[in-house]
């Protein structure tokens, strides 16, 4: 699998047979039960050796665990896919959302961006509205923008979390609170009713702090955000000044948003 620091390159290249096979393995294991490795080989119509090679790659990435002829998804994957895996999903939708968000920025803005793989794609386009100040806890955004002209890049610092490929914790939150920005752009793990949830409370605290210091708040979400649940409450969707959505959004969700006077843009 490709390195998660190069998501832009991954998005432009067609996935290899091995990548498609490993994605299929992850999809099977996301059901939450242990699966026999021999059954995976039959399902994929490949040799046991090939499946074991794929599983070795996935194991190194912290996505799966093998035990006596069977394999299961790591617990963390069942609740929140690793950054590497999430970064491969719905890339075109994420780019569409990022492009739409760009229209709501102006040169000279101070912009706070969270660690999500959705908001990562803003880094493809921010140069178009530079000069900007960009504050982020996302390692891939810091790496991508560090040589971009007219981007004043600010890291929140904090404790690095490999699963989210970003910085979190008390020092991160303290740094965020020291700023007042024009716009905060965030995504979410899930949307249930009018509420946003995420599996990890360290992510909750970072997102909530970002929302507190922003004059305007924009949420980016594709249709998959309505398909799952998560444990920790983040915020109400009505706390955002603008919600940008893409994909086949459930009709009942859209009706609820409009009834609640949520400012929704569908792209």
């Amino acid at each position: 699998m490709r390195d998660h620091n190069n998501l832009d390159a991954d998005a432009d290249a067609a996935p290899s047979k091995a990548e498609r096979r490993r994605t299929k393995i992850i999809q099977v294991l996301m059901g939450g039960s242990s699966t026999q490795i021999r059954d995976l080989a039959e399902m994929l119509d490949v040799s046991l050796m090939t499946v074991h090679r794929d599983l070795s790659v996935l194991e190194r990435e912290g996505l799966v665990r093998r035990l006596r002829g069977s394999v299961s998804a790591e617990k963390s994957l069942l609740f929140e896919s690793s950054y590497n895996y999430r970064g491969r999903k719905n890339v075109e939708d994420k780019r569409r959302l990022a492009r739409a968000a760009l229209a709501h920025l102006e040169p000279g803005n101070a912009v706070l961006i969270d660690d999500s793989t959705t908001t990562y794609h803003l880094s493809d386009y921010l140069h178009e509205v530079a000069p900007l100040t960009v504050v982020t806890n996302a390692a891939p955004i810091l790496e991508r923008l560090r040589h971009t002209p007219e981007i004043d890049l600010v890291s929140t610092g904090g404790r690095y979390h490999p699963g989210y490929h970003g910085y979190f914790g008390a020092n991160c939150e303290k740094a965020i609170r020291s700023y007042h920005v024009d716009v905060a752009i965030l995504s979410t793990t899930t949307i249930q009713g009018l509420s946003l949830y995420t599996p990890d409370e360290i992510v909750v605290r970072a997102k909530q702090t970002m929302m507190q210091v922003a004059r305007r708040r924009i949420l980016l979400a594709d249709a998959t955000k309505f398909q799952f649940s998560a444990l920790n409450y983040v915020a109400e969707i009505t706390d955002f000044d603008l919600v940008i959505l893409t994909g086949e959004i459930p009709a009942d969700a859209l009706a609820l948003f409009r009834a609640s006077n949520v400012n929704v843009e569908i792209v």
Side-chain angles (χ1 to χ4, degrees), residues 30 62-65 72-81 199:
M30 286 286 281
L63 301 178
V64 305
R65 178 183 299 175
S72 60
E74 285 285 4
K75 184 178 179 181
S76 60
L77 177 61
L78 297 178
F79 292 103
E80 172 73 353
S81 304

Side-chain angles (χ1 to χ4, degrees), residues 110-115 119 135-137 156 172-191 194-198 202-220 232-243 262:
V111 185
L112 183 53
I113 304 175
D114 74 0
D115 63 290
T119 56
V135 183
T136 186
N137 67 329
T156 65
C172 169
E173 295 154 29
K174 181 179 178 181
I176 294 169
R177 281 192 290 268
S178 71
Y179 300 109
H180 181 72
V181 300
D182 297 293
V183 187
I185 305 179
L186 290 76
S187 188
T188 183
T189 304
T190 69
I191 301 173
L194 293 175
S195 301
L196 313 183
Y197 294 88
T198 196
I202 64 166
V203 177
V204 171
R205 293 195 300 269
K207 288 181 186 291
Q208 288 176 340
T209 307
M210 289 178 178
M211 294 175 68
Q212 290 166 8
V213 303
R215 185 168 57 86
R216 288 186 292 136
R217 308 172 188 92
I218 298 175
L219 178 70
L220 309 182
N232 295 288
Y233 172 82
V234 180
E236 292 296 288
I237 205 163
T238 51
D239 294 331
F240 289 84
D241 300 282
L242 175 63
V243 177
V262 178

Side-chain angles (χ1 to χ4, degrees), residues 65-127:
R65 178 183 299 175
R66 285 182 287 183
L67 181 64
R68 293 192 294 273
S70 66
V71 60
S72 60
E74 285 285 4
K75 184 178 179 181
S76 60
L77 177 61
L78 297 178
F79 292 103
E80 172 73 353
S81 304
S82 76
Y83 192 95
N84 196 15
Y85 178 65
R86 288 181 292 123
R88 292 186 176 87
K89 296 172 63 180
N90 309 313
V91 170
E92 288 309 313
D93 281 349
K94 292 171 181 177
R95 283 181 162 176
R96 190 176 300 114
L97 290 166
R99 169 60 75 181
L102 194 75
H104 299 277
L105 301 180
E106 299 177 357
N109 278 168
V111 185
L112 183 53
I113 304 175
D114 74 0
D115 63 290
S116 70
T117 60
T118 298
T119 56
Y120 164 80
H121 290 280
L122 281 161
S123 58
D124 293 335
Y125 308 115
L126 289 175
H127 66 278

Side-chain angles (χ1 to χ4, degrees), residues 126 132-136 138 141-148 150-155:
L126 289 175
L132 294 170
T133 297
V134 175
V135 183
T136 186
I141 293 178
L142 292 167
E143 177 64 24
R144 182 69 187 275
L145 293 181
R146 64 193 178 100
H147 296 307
T148 303
E150 296 190 289
I151 297 289
D152 184 13
L153 188 60
V154 180
S155 170

Side-chain angles (χ1 to χ4, degrees), residues 240-267:
F240 289 84
D241 300 282
L242 175 63
V243 177
I244 305 178
L245 304 173
T246 195
E248 296 295 324
I249 308 300
D252 58 342
L254 284 177
L256 177 61
F257 294 168
R258 286 166 177 155
S260 304
N261 295 317
V262 178
N263 184 15
V264 175
E265 179 180 326
I266 300 177
V267 297

Side-chain angles (χ1 to χ4, degrees), residues 2-53:
R2 299 168 192 260
D3 188 274
H4 50 208
N5 291 327
N6 294 312
L7 293 179
D8 54 316
D10 284 340
D12 292 333
S16 68
K17 283 185 178 180
E19 288 172 325
R20 291 196 298 269
R21 206 168 50 240
R22 292 165 195 160
T23 298
K24 179 63 176 176
I25 290 171
I26 290 297
Q27 289 170 346
V28 170
L29 298 180
M30 286 286 281
S33 60
S34 179
T35 301
Q36 292 296 309
I37 296 173
R38 190 174 298 277
D39 291 342
L40 281 176
E42 291 180 4
M43 179 191 70
L44 297 168
D45 194 25
V46 295
S47 69
L48 271 173
M49 184 179 295
T50 296
V51 170
H52 277 290
R53 280 200 299 266

Side-chain angles (χ1 to χ4, degrees), residues 218-231:
I218 298 175
L219 178 70
L220 309 182
D222 62 60
T224 64
K225 306 302 183 182
F226 298 86
Q227 298 174 2
F228 304 101
S229 61
L231 180 64

